[in-house]
Amino acid sequence: MACLSLPHVLPRVEDPDLEFHKYVNFLLSLMARRAREEVVESNPFEVTIDPSTICQLECPYCEVGNGQIRRDRALLDVATHRLFVDALADNMFVAWYFSTGEPLINRRFTELVAAGRGRGIFSIVSTNLSLRLSDSRLRDLLTCGLGVICVSLDGATPGTYVRYRAGGDFSLVVENMARLVKQRNALGLTFPLVEWRFLVFRHNQHEIPRARGLARELGVDLLEFFPGNAPPDAGPAQVQRAVSADLTPAASGPALDRGRARADTILRRLLRGAGDGFRGVRTELMGHKCDWLYFGATLFPNGSVGPCCVSNHEPDDFGRIDRHTTFSNIWNNDNFREARAMFARSAGSKLICARCPLPAARDYQFRTTLQAILRNAPGWVLGVLSRDLDRFFFDVDFAMSPTELEALRRASLELGPFDDAIERLASVTPESPAAERRIASLRRSLLVGA
């Protein structure tokens, strides 16, 4: 996934009406999270959509690859996908088309992505790309509306690569990446970007310099190194965690260079040339909330909705959409409300959230998405936020995104006027009294000093 690069490569929403609608929802989501509300009036702005629970590889620490997943083998169908996307498209900024299996095994994958085309959704697929793909299928992949094709390739030579990607074909993956870049360029397209995603383990960390050189040869847009997750007690014959690997820079590539030079929004102009300022977060700031419960959700092929992508087991899901049950029926059902109450009232729970397999994901998962959305935000959104940052953000947010939030603080007296946004907010028709009060408060924020 294009985590580290996202703040720089996420494009603005082109349609002004869609942009306005998405940012109203974004602000409502931030307020609901900050207030620790159990019933949420907003919708997720970033979702995970799992096209397949089937994979042709046998990666040792993947629950599909090692057979430990408690979920039936299935492919997401177009109708189920449309029920989910139609309910959320107007609020979504980002959709990740990956969770458990290999997405491209689903022969209707490009139809799924195309359903969100023209709706201001930046769609990203993560694929092992170790498949035989015809020229026509590559063309469909390039033209269906994807923003990034992220290729999992954990090595720079065949023998190293196959240590983790068991059953994969290194030469085939490299060939497919080269074909994607060549055909994309021949079509004159800016997107999708082609990213090489390299999970760093002990057995492949020595190939980092070689991977950088190969990435330049292939002409990929992004190269990202990420520490591979392996058990701390893995033996010599197993895939082990890297030891003091130098990943600097962890993300690189021509698309990232272009993104860092962007000046198409207020915040990007303020931040041009600045680093991200992130140096880690104090432990005591973390774990007091879960962003997933306000910002995201996961759709699995059978229509099940999970609270996150951290647990992939069906017994942990919170509901299932079908012709009779919409996403809105699930989003504030007993399971979601109980999960949010864990943090709002320190309530006990038997849900997966009470035994979260990856607690750091509560705070870290949406960090780069928040940065990207803020960097693209129109002036009126920055005006609302800058007038009372503590109403929207926790202390841990300031630690994780200091560059963006400190820039907002400095710019608070320089933004405005916002006459158009004030008028548009007055015309919004909320779906509940609670949402009406929240939107009225956004409008009052803009009226201050107007």
Side-chain angles (χ1 to χ4, degrees), residues 26 29-30 33 43-47 290-297 331 366 370:
F26 173 68
S29 299
L30 289 175
R33 180 193 64 148
N43 275 320
F45 54 76
E46 175 180 326
V47 300
C290 180
D291 293 345
W292 273 104
L293 299 173
Y294 299 90
F295 296 167
W331 185 230
F366 296 89
L370 282 170

Side-chain angles (χ1 to χ4, degrees), residues 305-320:
V305 174
C308 63
C309 69
V310 173
S311 173
N312 293 314
H313 303 302
E314 189 165 349
D316 298 332
D317 294 341
F318 278 14
R320 181 179 294 186

Side-chain angles (χ1 to χ4, degrees), residues 21-185:
H21 192 97
K22 289 176 189 286
Y23 273 99
V24 169
N25 179 76
F26 173 68
L27 293 171
L28 294 178
S29 299
L30 289 175
M31 285 192 286
R33 180 193 64 148
R34 186 64 183 86
R36 303 183 183 276
E37 293 180 350
E38 295 175 28
V39 176
V40 179
E41 304 296 335
S42 54
N43 275 320
F45 54 76
E46 175 180 326
V47 300
T48 299
I49 298 172
D50 196 7
S52 166
T53 53
I54 305 167
C55 188
Q56 80 279 27
L57 305 189
E58 297 179 350
C59 305
Y61 303 137
C62 169
E63 291 176 323
V64 172
N66 61 28
Q68 294 181 3
I69 191 169
R70 287 178 287 158
R71 191 178 294 277
D72 291 340
R73 291 163 57 91
L75 301 174
L76 179 61
D77 64 77
V78 173
T80 301
H81 174 265
R82 186 168 288 281
L83 286 172
F84 186 73
V85 170
D86 283 351
L88 301 178
D90 289 348
N91 300 310
M92 286 162 51
F93 284 93
V94 179
W96 300 92
Y97 280 90
F98 170 77
S99 185
T100 60
E102 167 51 49
L104 301 190
I105 284 180
N106 189 328
R107 300 291 297 186
R108 304 191 73 177
F109 171 76
T110 55
E111 290 182 60
L112 304 180
V113 178
R117 188 166 47 197
R119 306 178 79 172
I121 302 169
F122 194 67
S123 297
I124 303 166
V125 64
S126 181
T127 169
N128 61 55
L129 209 60
S130 185
L131 306 101
R132 299 287 174 187
L133 300 171
S134 65
D135 286 342
S136 62
R137 188 137 189 244
L138 279 184
R139 184 184 180 93
D140 289 344
L141 199 58
L142 290 165
T143 58
C144 66
L146 283 168
V148 177
I149 299 173
C150 179
V151 182
S152 298
L153 181 63
D154 313 318
T157 58
T160 302
Y161 162 78
V162 80
R163 280 286 306 278
Y164 186 72
R165 300 288 167 178
D169 185 331
F170 175 84
S171 298
L172 178 59
V173 178
V174 171
E175 178 189 353
N176 282 338
M177 275 205 298
R179 291 171 65 207
L180 280 170
V181 172
K182 182 178 180 180
Q183 192 169 146
R184 191 270 316 274
N185 294 345

Side-chain angles (χ1 to χ4, degrees), residues 296-310:
T298 299
L299 175 70
F300 292 100
N302 65 350
S304 278
V305 174
C308 63
C309 69
V310 173

Side-chain angles (χ1 to χ4, degrees), residues 224-299:
E224 186 168 318
F225 296 100
F226 196 83
N229 188 26
D233 59 349
Q238 298 174 293
V239 173
Q240 298 176 301
R241 294 180 182 180
V243 179
S244 302
D246 182 8
L247 307 185
T248 308
S252 60
L256 187 57
D257 294 339
R258 292 192 301 271
R260 285 177 171 150
R262 285 171 60 184
D264 53 330
T265 65
I266 296 170
L267 205 57
R268 290 190 186 281
R269 288 192 289 274
L270 287 173
L271 297 177
R272 189 163 52 173
D276 70 4
F278 181 67
R279 295 294 181 270
V281 179
R282 300 197 314 273
T283 304
E284 64 268 22
L285 293 178
M286 299 182 64
H288 304 295
K289 60 177 176 58
C290 180
D291 293 345
W292 273 104
L293 299 173
Y294 299 90
F295 296 167
T298 299
L299 175 70

Side-chain angles (χ1 to χ4, degrees), residues 199-217:
L199 295 182
V200 180
F201 296 101
R202 185 173 300 186
H203 71 271
N204 64 15
Q205 63 186 77
H206 68 285
E207 291 193 341
I208 290 175
R210 185 167 184 161
R212 295 191 191 280
L214 182 55
R216 288 191 293 270
E217 290 177 25

